[in-house]
Amino acid sequence: MELTETQAKILEELQSDSRISMRSLADKVGVSTPTASATVKDLEEMEIIRGYFTSLDTFKLGLHVFYVRMESDLRKIHEIVEKVRSLEYLHGFRELDGGILFLELVVPSLRALDDTVILLKKTEGVQKLDVSRVTREFGKMKSISLDTTRDLSIDCFYCKKGIEGTPVKLEIDGRKHYVCCDVCASEYKEKYSRLKERSEIVT
Ligand SMILES: [Zn+2]
């Protein structure tokens, strides 16, 4: 499945203003308002749009931003990832080539940073840890450019494996999901109706 031109244009517009009205969005992209809202809904259901957030000026708020680069024992990576995900001041978290973990921490005080770093250092499998402080921010960068054709990589809602080829679109109780094949589609439908039945017995 490929990203369509309308989808690409909509994603570019939403990156610069996620609060734009559907009508203005449709005007800018050159489609009708119903098409624009249906496209946005599709992108949300495919989880290409992860959400709509508010970007805060951490400096004005007196917060400190740090980047932590962590090398770890690959055999322990799952446990380490779980530990990191539970950190109170975690703002961004990525894995780089070679299993290197890259964290963005936004902390209210240097004490909070120390506590976090001590916790990470104590975590089994963490081998090397570098901390750098963000001293200056250069404002909002440009939107991610989507001007060329690209293949979408979407995971099956049921088996979580990457979908190859055309996804099967499922609609259950007004919710749309993408699954990889008819088998996943029928298994999910069955599981969903079983769960629904059970919850109806409870209530
Ligand atoms: Zn599947």
Side-chain angles (χ1 to χ4, degrees):
M1 192 169 51
E2 275 181 3
L3 192 71
T4 66
E5 203 186 324
T6 304
Q7 288 175 328
K9 280 185 188 164
I10 282 181
L11 289 175
E12 290 200 338
E13 291 301 333
L14 286 178
Q15 284 181 84
S16 47
D17 180 11
S18 67
R19 300 182 78 198
I20 188 170
S21 73
M22 250 341 131
R23 219 172 135 183
S24 317
L25 182 65
D27 277 351
K28 285 198 167 185
V29 173
V31 294
S32 69
T33 309
T35 301
S37 40
T39 309
V40 169
K41 215 168 162 246
D42 265 354
L43 290 163
E44 288 171 354
E45 276 153 1
M46 286 190 273
E47 292 180 349
I48 289 174
I49 295 177
R50 285 184 185 154
Y52 304 92
F53 307 101
T54 303
S55 175
L56 301 180
D57 188 321
T58 48
F59 285 90
K60 283 184 183 151
L61 289 164
L63 298 165
H64 311 273
V65 183
F66 288 88
Y67 283 109
V68 179
R69 185 187 182 278
M70 238 161 60
E71 286 175 26
S72 42
D73 182 345
L74 291 178
R75 286 165 300 182
K76 294 264 178 256
I77 196 116
H78 294 295
E79 290 89 334
I80 297 170
V81 165
E82 283 318 301
K83 183 82 182 185
V84 171
R85 283 165 63 101
S86 72
L87 292 175
E88 186 176 359
Y89 302 112
L90 185 72
H91 186 59
F93 185 23
R94 291 188 155 115
E95 184 176 334
L96 313 184
D97 282 337
I100 289 163
L101 299 177
F102 198 69
L103 288 59
E104 182 182 356
L105 300 173
V106 179
V107 294
S109 65
L110 297 181
R111 175 70 195 272
L113 175 76
D114 282 346
D115 290 347
T116 308
V117 169
I118 288 168
L119 205 79
L120 288 171
K121 280 187 172 162
K122 272 199 225 154
T123 305
E124 208 190 330
V126 172
Q127 290 164 338
K128 192 167 178 256
L129 197 148
D130 291 311
V131 183
S132 302
R133 182 185 175 134
V134 174
T135 53
R136 196 146 65 110
E137 224 177 47
F138 300 101
K140 194 188 171 295
M141 297 296 126
K142 284 185 191 160
S143 304
I144 296 170
S145 171
L146 297 163
D147 52 354
T148 51
T149 315
R150 55 203 56 260
D151 282 325
L152 299 178
S153 143
I154 296 163
D155 291 341
C156 171
F157 185 75
Y158 184 68
C159 73
K160 308 292 175 203
K161 283 185 199 142
I163 297 175
E164 283 167 30
T166 313
V168 179
K169 210 168 171 181
L170 256 185
E171 192 161 352
I172 299 179
D173 285 348
R175 283 181 148 181
K176 268 187 246 161
H177 301 295
Y178 291 86
V179 291
C180 67
C181 58
D182 291 334
V183 177
C184 278
S186 63
E187 279 184 23
Y188 177 67
K189 268 191 235 163
E190 212 176 283
K191 189 179 160 192
Y192 185 85
S193 61
R194 257 196 324 246
L195 284 174
K196 209 177 157 188
E197 254 170 52
R198 222 179 293 161
S199 68
E200 275 169 6
I201 292 165
V202 176
T203 49

